[in-house]
Amino acid sequence: QVQLVESGGGSVQAGESLRLSCAASGSIFSIGTMAWYRQAPGKQRDLVARISSAGSTIYADSVKGRFTISRDNAKNTVYLQMNSLKPEDTAAYLCYVVVDRVYWGQGTQVTVSS
């Protein structure tokens, strides 16, 4: 069993930055893909950014150039650096980690006001 602990969400003004973290613990031999998704009320869950075990990254068009995903394999942790935040970035951000199966974090709320 794997546990995911997310942190770093909060309420900010447009243009400010936040850094999300998601630490995995438990029965982990190796971690594959790690990612961040987000879901706003009444909307579907969307991929924000994904990073492979080799470090290859993919970003949603809406966050390219503003968000950066990274990982620390020694700490089993994935990060999401979010700069130039916009009100439309407001959502619950969920961590996604592949070990023996897919695991989801509980979500951390990001609220951006104009």
Side-chain angles (χ1 to χ4, degrees), residues 1-4 23-32 73 75-76 97-103:
Q1 192 70 9
V2 174
Q3 296 78 42
L4 301 179
S25 63
S27 301
I28 298 173
F29 177 71
S30 65
I31 298 179
N73 291 327
K75 296 181 178 180
N76 292 332
V97 171
V98 178
V99 184
D100 55 322
R101 62 172 179 85
V102 172
Y103 292 88

Side-chain angles (χ1 to χ4, degrees), residues 4-88:
L4 301 179
V5 177
E6 299 162 339
S7 60
S11 297
V12 297
Q13 297 288 320
E16 295 184 340
S17 299
L18 284 173
R19 188 192 194 209
L20 306 182
S21 299
C22 173
S25 63
S27 301
I28 298 173
F29 177 71
S30 65
I31 298 179
T33 296
M34 307 179 87
W36 289 95
Y37 284 73
R38 66 186 180 188
Q39 187 168 20
K43 295 189 176 181
Q44 67 180 20
R45 185 174 296 181
D46 291 325
L47 175 68
V48 176
R50 186 174 74 204
I51 184 167
S52 73
S53 57
S56 297
T57 58
I58 293 176
Y59 295 92
D61 287 343
S62 59
V63 306
K64 283 180 181 177
R66 299 188 298 122
F67 290 11
T68 301
I69 189 170
S70 61
R71 63 191 287 169
D72 184 333
N73 291 327
K75 296 181 178 180
N76 292 332
T77 299
V78 60
Y79 306 96
L80 186 67
Q81 178 66 44
M82 304 185 294
N83 299 329
S84 302
L85 282 161
K86 304 176 180 179
E88 50 264 44

